Amino acid sequence: MLEAKKDFEALLMGNDAIARGALEAGVNVVTGYPGTPSSEIVEQLAKVAEESNLYVEWSVNEKVALEVAAAGSYARLKSMCVMKQVGVNVAADSLLHIAEYGTRGGLVLVSCEDPGALSSTNEGDSRPYAKMMEFPLLEPGDFQEAKDMAKWAFELSEDIRNIVMLRSVTRLSHASGNVIMGELPKDRPKAAFEFSSIPMDQMKGPILAFPTLVDPLRRRQLEKLSKAEKIFEGSPFNKYTGPAKPELLIITSSVCKLYVQEALDILGLWERVGLLKLGTTWPLPSKLLEQHLGICEKIFIVEEGTPFLEDNIKALAAEKAKQVGIKTFFGRKDGTLPPVNELNPDLLIKGINFILGESYQFVSDEYKAKALEIIAAGAPVRELTFCPGCPHRASFWLINSALKLDNRAGFLCGDIGCYSLGAGPCGFSTIKILQAMGSGMGMASGFGKLDKFGMTQPIMAVCGDSTFFHAVIPALVNAVHNRSDMILVVLDNSGTAMTGFQPHPGSPSGAIGTRLPVLDIEKLCNSLNVRVEMGDPFDLKGTRETMLDLLEDGGNPRVLILKQPCALSPIKKGQKMYEMAIDANLCLADLCGCNKLCTRVFKCPGLIWDTQKEKVRIDEVLCTGCGVCADICPAKAIKA
């Protein structure tokens, strides 16, 4: 629906609405690094890039993505950079400098965040960056606002000449609602970077970060923030609903507006409770807040993430105590709402009733009794696992067995991606350290220098091909330069598999399908003058021998590239290497001594234990025919 005409109403996912809003603003340059829940914004704009005259790029990482978008802004083009919450940390260094100097063409940073860590390793909240680095923050509260606010973000950016952050969350990015389309512009601007004036001439001077410029730049930046606050005072994205003198004032932002509305509808409390929804959450519209804080003694602050809004409103209330009086605040900090995880209408119903001294029965006693009966009977457990035929399962089987055969208590430092599951049962609990993108290699580089303190354990690190380009190269360079004794295993499955196979520098095409040069990981590693070996994770015997040899060859960094496309990737999906079968005469379960190794330990979803026949069987729908299970079966009952 990105091509739809003005006034057309469509059901759009939140990310699609943001993409549409950017188009209506006349965006020219779009960059990003894939990460759930943000990826669809760039993907949707890539689909219409040619007809809309856009430059769309999946960048090597978020920092570079922001810098490419900033270049577009400095050339007076409207630019947008998209990432998830952890990506803002990666981009932070450049973000600080861009916000300090300012922008030319509109520049919008979209941060799609993941309260509850539904598809992340943390609940990171990027909003404090707006306060710390002093640029405006916008938070749409529904799907229409996601589209309208994305468009307005560009207007605001060009009005104050600075970067603007638009923050979404999973339940907005990945849910859907009705959106009325606006008009699409037809102008085609020409890019040009001017540098003919002095550095403090924001539109025509060179863009420089010098110590002597810090004071005037900071003063100018604060003036921009003050201008944004004045604009926010009259913003239509800030709206109050409720009585003139409520018993309770709820101040909220983002998708929590919908949760609060649902809770108040269920409780029937609209005549007693007021709702102030803020779309502009930094800088706070202080006069608007002063006006509404004065109408009520009890204030309930509802937000996704850390108590960012809560802390800032409390600080404002303290400054305005003479005007608004002493208030009682409720929120995440006092325990009215849980301090972690995402919110929902049930949690808000409990919180509102607690504050007002009311009660509410969510379900009948009969329903509770039936639910307890079902729970007591036991529901089937479904663990997180690798897909059938996933090369990562074979890779971790190899790494795990090689480290055990080596018998020196070696361990593996992990990284972020599908292969993070290597820390769990499906990866045989092989990963022992798992934090940020690239940190597995960085930490392995550190562990590999601890021999002077008596450390003799072999050190291994693992990363994917996309992560290698994103964050691992600098850490590998560090290890090579410092002669760190460790092994890097690159799991090359031909794409950014975890987020939908978006391309990276090792791919033959870009975001819109244009053919691009492929950067070869093996050649890059060879250029660092380290030992590099190639392997196939499905070749258990040959690759295990290579891995054991690498473990013996200590003293310097070594690299092992295990190359096998993801079973779900477009280049492999639907293609089977083998047809798998079971020899029922050889599959004897406990009697053969393997104790169901294939289904109990290896745990590929394509293998099923038939409890009636007491034999393993192949699920022909799920099996991708990788053949690895045939190699791990000690009785040779599985045939490829």
Side-chain angles (χ1 to χ4, degrees):
M1 288 297 168
L2 296 186
E3 307 93 337
K5 294 183 179 180
K6 183 181 178 182
D7 296 329
F8 183 83
E9 186 171 4
L11 182 68
L12 291 187
M13 192 165 72
N15 280 348
D16 296 347
I18 292 171
R20 171 71 189 203
L23 280 177
E24 291 182 10
V27 68
N28 309 115
V29 177
V30 180
T31 66
Y33 183 81
T36 307
S38 73
S39 305
E40 294 85 1
I41 298 172
V42 177
E43 288 178 340
Q44 289 287 41
L45 290 169
K47 292 177 183 177
V48 296
E50 188 172 344
E51 63 194 85
S52 301
N53 193 35
L54 306 181
Y55 174 69
V56 183
E57 172 184 296
W58 283 121
S59 306
V60 69
N61 63 30
E62 294 87 355
K63 181 176 184 290
V64 174
L66 183 58
E67 290 158 351
V68 173
S73 169
Y74 294 149
R76 302 201 180 205
L77 299 176
K78 290 182 173 70
S79 303
M80 182 169 73
C81 183
V82 183
M83 58 193 68
K84 69 183 293 181
Q85 78 275 4
V86 286
V88 183
N89 303 327
V90 179
D93 187 18
S94 292
L95 179 58
L96 173 64
H97 291 87
I98 292 166
E100 180 184 55
Y101 189 87
T103 57
R104 294 182 181 178
L107 179 56
V108 176
L109 170 61
V110 180
S111 176
C112 297
E113 312 197 349
D114 194 18
L118 302 173
S119 56
S120 308
T121 55
N122 62 54
E123 287 188 289
D125 191 333
S126 298
R127 293 178 298 167
Y129 280 112
K131 182 178 181 180
M132 177 172 63
M133 298 181 181
E134 299 170 324
F135 55 83
L137 169 67
L138 309 178
E139 296 189 70
D142 58 35
F143 307 97
Q144 185 68 47
E145 278 197 356
K147 192 272 292 183
D148 294 341
M149 201 176 281
K151 179 183 178 183
W152 183 58
F154 285 94
E155 298 172 10
L156 177 64
S157 175
E158 295 198 335
D159 195 354
I160 67 168
R161 296 298 177 191
N162 210 350
I163 191 168
V164 172
M165 177 186 279
L166 180 76
R167 185 213 189 206
S168 180
V169 294
T170 301
R171 302 300 184 182
L172 182 64
S173 285
H174 282 172
S176 299
N178 285 1
V179 177
I180 298 172
M181 307 300 187
E183 192 168 355
L184 294 173
K186 295 181 174 59
D187 59 314
R188 293 186 172 231
K190 184 178 180 181
F193 175 58
E194 295 186 55
F195 47 86
S196 58
S197 186
I198 60 173
M200 284 304 295
D201 185 340
Q202 186 172 340
M203 301 305 290
K204 294 183 178 180
I207 297 169
L208 306 174
F210 281 157
T212 54
L213 294 175
V214 170
D215 184 83
L217 285 175
R218 286 274 290 110
R219 291 179 186 276
R220 186 171 73 185
Q221 186 179 11
L222 292 173
E223 288 172 3
K224 294 174 182 179
L225 206 61
S226 178
K227 183 177 181 180
E229 182 180 343
K230 291 175 184 176
I231 294 170
F232 288 177
E233 296 289 358
S235 171
F237 297 113
N238 300 323
K239 185 178 180 182
Y240 176 77
T241 308
K245 293 289 183 180
E247 296 176 44
L248 171 66
L249 173 65
I250 299 177
I251 303 178
T252 190
S253 64
S254 187
V255 75
C256 291
K257 179 198 84 167
L258 300 177
Y259 302 158
V260 173
Q261 287 177 333
E262 184 173 342
L264 293 178
D265 282 343
I266 290 171
L267 296 173
L269 289 175
W270 282 106
E271 294 183 359
R272 298 172 60 188
V273 177
L275 171 60
L276 176 61
K277 194 281 294 184
L278 293 179
T280 64
T281 49
W282 189 261
L284 290 174
S286 58
K287 292 180 181 178
L288 178 73
L289 278 164
E290 180 184 333
Q291 173 190 338
H292 287 91
L293 286 171
I295 66 174
C296 187
E297 189 273 327
K298 294 179 179 179
I299 314 295
F300 186 20
I301 300 176
V302 179
E303 61 188 314
E304 287 286 31
T306 58
F308 174 79
L309 197 58
E310 182 176 347
D311 285 346
N312 292 324
I313 290 175
K314 285 178 178 177
L316 179 65
E319 291 175 9
K320 304 285 185 179
K322 286 185 179 180
Q323 292 90 336
V324 304
I326 304 301
K327 304 297 170 184
T328 303
F329 286 95
F330 303 89
R332 288 202 184 259
K333 281 198 160 182
D334 75 317
T336 303
L337 294 174
V340 299
N341 217 320
E342 62 179 348
L343 300 178
N344 59 53
D346 286 352
L347 290 171
L348 296 183
I349 288 171
K350 289 179 182 178
I352 294 167
N353 282 329
F354 167 75
I355 297 168
L356 296 179
E358 302 287 347
S359 62
Y360 178 79
Q361 186 174 18
F362 286 89
V363 295
S364 67
D365 293 335
E366 293 80 8
Y367 184 94
K368 286 182 181 178
K370 185 64 177 177
L372 289 171
E373 182 182 325
I374 294 171
I375 293 169
V381 176
R382 185 184 180 194
E383 296 177 342
L384 289 171
T385 189
F386 292 119
C387 300
C390 177
H392 296 338
R393 178 182 279 103
S395 295
F396 285 114
W397 183 271
L398 284 164
I399 295 169
N400 188 283
S401 59
L403 288 172
K404 287 181 177 177
L405 286 169
D406 181 80
N407 200 32
R408 287 181 288 164
F411 59 94
L412 180 67
C413 302
D415 220 303
I416 304 303
C418 296
Y419 50 91
S420 297
L421 292 176
C426 65
F428 322 110
S429 302
T430 307
I431 292 177
K432 302 305 181 186
I433 293 181
L434 177 63
Q435 291 185 330
M437 285 190 79
S439 66
M441 178 63 216
M443 291 189 182
S445 175
F447 280 121
K449 293 302 298 180
L450 301 184
D451 56 315
K452 69 181 295 179
F453 301 104
M455 177 173 272
T456 59
Q457 296 161 272
I459 314 299
M460 300 180 77
V462 66
C463 74
D465 42 330
S466 184
T467 302
F468 176 84
F469 292 109
H470 177 283
V472 169
I473 291 176
L476 178 58
V477 169
N478 186 76
V480 173
H481 178 67
N482 291 291
R483 295 181 178 175
S484 181
D485 187 357
M486 50 76 59
I487 300 170
L488 170 64
V489 182
V490 182
L491 307 182
D492 185 353
N493 62 1
S494 305
T496 315
M498 189 176 188
T499 52
F501 301 102
Q502 294 84 0
H504 56 61
S507 306
S509 61
I512 62 173
T514 307
R515 301 296 292 181
L516 296 173
V518 174
L519 299 187
D520 189 284
I521 295 175
E522 181 183 12
K523 290 179 180 178
L524 283 170
C525 293
N526 277 324
S527 72
L528 296 175
N529 197 29
V530 295
R531 180 182 174 186
V532 183
E533 299 289 346
M534 297 293 296
D536 181 350
F538 292 165
D539 176 15
L540 295 188
K541 184 176 183 296
T543 305
R544 183 183 289 113
E545 289 176 359
T546 302
M547 203 171 286
L548 288 169
D549 186 53
L550 286 167
L551 284 165
E552 285 293 316
D553 182 19
N556 287 293
R558 291 87 73 202
V559 178
L560 173 61
I561 302 169
L562 298 182
K563 191 169 182 64
Q564 184 65 239
C566 171
L568 299 180
S569 71
I571 63 175
K572 191 175 181 181
K573 193 173 182 180
Q575 300 177 20
K576 284 192 174 185
M577 294 175 64
Y578 301 101
E579 290 294 333
M580 306 304 297
I582 304 296
D583 187 331
N585 295 319
L586 295 178
C587 183
L588 304 176
D590 297 338
L591 297 179
C592 79
C594 79
N595 194 19
K596 301 189 284 290
L597 178 73
C598 57
T599 56
R600 183 180 58 85
V601 180
F602 193 65
K603 291 185 177 180
C604 175
L607 297 169
I608 298 173
W609 181 252
D610 190 322
T611 54
Q612 294 183 340
K613 296 181 179 179
E614 293 193 336
K615 307 280 184 184
V616 71
R617 64 180 176 87
I618 305 294
D619 186 325
E620 295 180 358
V621 174
L622 295 179
C623 178
T624 64
C626 69
V628 176
C629 57
D631 289 335
I632 65 105
C633 178
K636 302 301 178 186
I638 306 177
K639 306 293 184 183

